[in-house]
């Protein structure tokens, strides 16, 4: 039995062309499934993974920019692919290779065309390569994995929103700290001005009543004292205005900071829920993959690919949430 990729013809070349129209990933899985144990093992699967990543990378640079949704590279980007991935090959040989790879002569290179050439397989054995008799179980596992892939996108969006809220909260806290420092300085300056004012008042009061001084001196002191009592001196008035403005600024910023704190708290709760949902979906996907591994039925390429995708999703999680040891290379035990 094969994976459920319907083919409208029995002609090997036409069937191969149909397979080449699948997405890069599905072409790779067909190849890995079909030749697992026949030149394909986990190490080869790892190289195929890297090759497909390169296909997607170059596709995004090409005219159609389909990326993961693409299936083949045009002549220019095919040549770039060989230049990057088969760099030891001389330029003349790369041109000859491109002609040999292009089975349908459309001037483009699909992932399957490249893999068949790279690993020296034929079109006939590729289209007839067994895909396993556990397609329904693999389909269910893929759906579980698709839920994981969708959820990690949600997690990363929630994390970005939370990171932004955290940054805004920290910025608000810095502004608040600056405002509080300014208020403290204003209060200190006001206290100094008030002390100076009080001392000046006390000195003038004393001078105005000092019998040992002349009438002129006492009168002058009394006049200055009356002026001070009638209106605060300019430095003191300025300090009061500055302190009041600083206090209003602090009160306003405290409100803004509290709003930022509540916003971050809400974003953090959304992120945590999204992470919890992802955790459940990853456990379910792994459970389905393990169930398939424990039964006969082939499809090892699909299993390897799904397990690798789960591993890559896990790598994108916060360290405390990771389920795999990423200090070691990906390991697949079919």
């Amino acid at each position: 039995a094969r994976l459920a990729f319907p083919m409208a013809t029995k002609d090997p070349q036409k069937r191969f062309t149909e397979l080449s129209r699948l997405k890069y990933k599905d072409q790779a899985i067909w190849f890995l499934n079909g030749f697992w144990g026949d030149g394909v093992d986990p190490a080869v699967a790892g190289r195929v993974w890297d090759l497909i990543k390169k296909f997607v990378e170059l596709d995004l640079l090409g005219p159609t920019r389909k990326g993961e949704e693409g299936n083949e590279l045009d002549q220019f980007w095919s040549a770039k692919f060989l230049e990057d991935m088969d760099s030891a090959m001389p330029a003349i040989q790369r041109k000859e290779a491109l002609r040999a790879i292009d089975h349908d002569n459309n001037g483009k290179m699909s992932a399957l065309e490249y893999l068949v050439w790279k690993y020296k397989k034929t079109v006939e054995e590729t289209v007839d390569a067994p895909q396993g008799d556990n397609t329904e179980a693999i389909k269910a596992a893929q759906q579980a994995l698709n839920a994981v892939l969708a959820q990690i996108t949600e997690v990363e969006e929630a994390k970005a929103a939370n990171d932004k809220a955290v940054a805004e909260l920290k910025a608000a806290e810095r502004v608040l700290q600056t405002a509080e420092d300014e208020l403290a300085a204003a209060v200190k300056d006001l206290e100094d001005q008030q002390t100076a004012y009080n001392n000046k008042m006390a000195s003038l009061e004393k001078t105005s009543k000092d019998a040992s001084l002349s009438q002129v001196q006492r009168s002058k002191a009394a006049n200055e004292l009356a002026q001070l009592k009638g209106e605060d001196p300019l430095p003191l008035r300025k300090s009061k205005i500055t302190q009041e403005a600083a206090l209003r600024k602090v009160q306003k910023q405290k409100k803004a900071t509290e709003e930022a704190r509540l916003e971050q708290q809400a974003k953090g709760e959304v992120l945590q829920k999204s992470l919890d949902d992802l955790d459940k979906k990853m456990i379910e996907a792994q459970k389905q993959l393990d169930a398939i591994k424990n039964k006969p039925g082939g499809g090892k390429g699909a299993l390897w690919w799904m397990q690798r995708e789960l591993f890559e999703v896990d790598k994108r999680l916060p360290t405390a949430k990771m389920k795999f040891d990423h200090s070691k290379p990906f390991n697949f035990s079919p």
Side-chain angles (χ1 to χ4, degrees):
R2 303 180 182 87
L3 286 177
F5 297 144
M7 298 196 200
T9 176
K10 292 184 178 181
D11 179 80
Q13 185 57 59
K14 291 181 178 178
R15 290 164 66 197
F16 187 82
T17 299
E18 287 185 39
L19 289 172
S20 291
R21 294 193 183 112
L22 298 172
K23 297 176 185 178
Y24 294 121
K25 166 186 167 179
D26 292 330
Q27 293 180 51
I29 290 174
W30 181 279
F31 184 84
L32 295 177
N33 275 345
F35 297 108
W36 197 272
D38 181 18
V40 171
D41 56 19
V44 170
R47 289 195 289 274
V48 171
W49 173 274
D50 291 337
L51 292 169
I52 295 304
K53 284 178 64 178
K54 191 66 176 182
F55 267 101
V56 171
E57 174 192 329
L58 295 181
D59 195 300
L60 288 170
L61 298 174
T64 60
R65 299 189 179 184
K66 293 181 179 179
E68 293 181 352
E69 300 297 313
N71 68 297
E72 60 187 1
L73 300 175
D74 65 20
Q75 191 171 28
F76 176 84
W77 291 106
S78 296
K80 175 61 176 171
F81 182 96
L82 289 186
E83 181 181 340
D84 290 349
M85 306 309 289
D86 295 273
S87 57
M89 185 185 300
I92 295 178
Q93 288 186 23
R94 286 201 295 269
K95 290 181 180 179
E96 295 174 354
L98 284 172
R99 285 193 292 269
I101 291 169
D102 187 12
H103 284 280
D104 56 8
N105 297 312
N106 69 344
K108 298 179 180 181
M109 180 176 75
S110 71
L112 194 58
E113 284 179 321
Y114 176 80
L115 292 173
V116 165
W117 169 82
K118 180 72 174 178
Y119 293 99
K120 297 179 172 57
K121 304 297 181 181
T122 67
V123 166
E124 289 75 17
E125 61 185 345
T126 300
V127 297
D128 288 326
Q131 297 297 304
D133 56 6
N134 52 1
T135 55
E136 289 304 315
I138 287 178
K139 182 179 178 181
Q142 183 62 61
Q143 289 175 343
L145 181 60
N146 289 344
V148 169
L149 296 174
Q151 189 65 32
I152 187 61
T153 299
E154 181 181 308
V155 164
E156 290 177 336
E157 289 173 352
K159 183 179 182 301
N162 182 66
D163 288 348
K164 180 182 177 185
V166 168
E168 289 174 349
L169 174 57
K170 289 181 178 179
E173 289 173 338
R174 287 194 297 270
V175 172
L176 177 58
Q177 184 60 58
T178 299
E180 289 177 335
D181 291 344
E182 291 173 353
L183 175 59
V187 169
K188 176 66 168 58
D189 183 63
L190 177 58
E191 290 174 348
D192 292 343
Q193 292 296 335
Q194 188 67 54
T195 298
Y197 173 75
N198 292 341
N199 290 340
K200 181 69 173 176
M201 293 274 286
S203 176
L204 290 172
E205 182 78 28
K206 181 179 179 182
T207 300
S208 68
K209 296 178 179 179
D210 189 346
S212 66
L213 298 175
S214 68
Q215 182 63 38
V216 173
Q217 289 175 313
R218 292 198 303 273
S219 296
K220 181 180 178 182
N223 289 335
E224 287 186 34
L225 180 61
Q227 290 177 6
L228 283 179
K229 288 181 177 179
E231 183 179 28
D232 292 339
L234 180 60
L236 180 57
R237 294 201 306 272
K238 184 178 178 182
S239 290
K240 287 182 177 179
I241 292 171
T242 300
Q243 186 270 337
E244 290 168 358
L247 179 59
R248 288 194 297 271
K249 184 176 181 180
V250 166
Q251 292 170 337
K252 181 180 179 181
Q253 189 57 37
K254 278 185 176 179
K255 182 180 178 181
T257 302
E258 181 59 23
E259 289 175 352
R261 183 175 290 107
L262 292 174
E263 178 70 12
Q264 189 279 317
Q265 182 179 345
K267 297 296 185 185
E269 290 172 356
V270 170
L271 174 58
Q272 187 57 56
K273 183 182 182 305
S274 189
L275 283 167
D276 291 344
D277 289 344
L278 176 61
D279 187 67
K280 294 173 185 176
K281 290 175 181 179
M282 289 183 71
I283 290 172
E284 176 59 27
Q286 188 62 63
K287 179 180 176 181
Q288 293 203 36
L289 289 176
D290 289 341
I292 299 172
K293 289 179 185 178
N294 293 330
K295 296 179 181 179
K300 299 301 184 185
L303 282 173
W304 184 95
W305 203 274
M306 288 188 284
Q307 189 68 71
R308 179 62 183 268
E309 286 186 321
L310 202 59
F311 180 83
E312 294 297 322
V313 166
D314 190 71
K315 190 186 294 184
R316 292 152 68 179
L317 294 176
T319 303
K321 292 284 185 179
M322 291 179 177
K323 301 181 185 303
F324 296 90
D325 182 358
H326 293 282
S327 66
K328 300 177 182 178
F330 170 68
N331 180 53
F332 177 74
S333 299

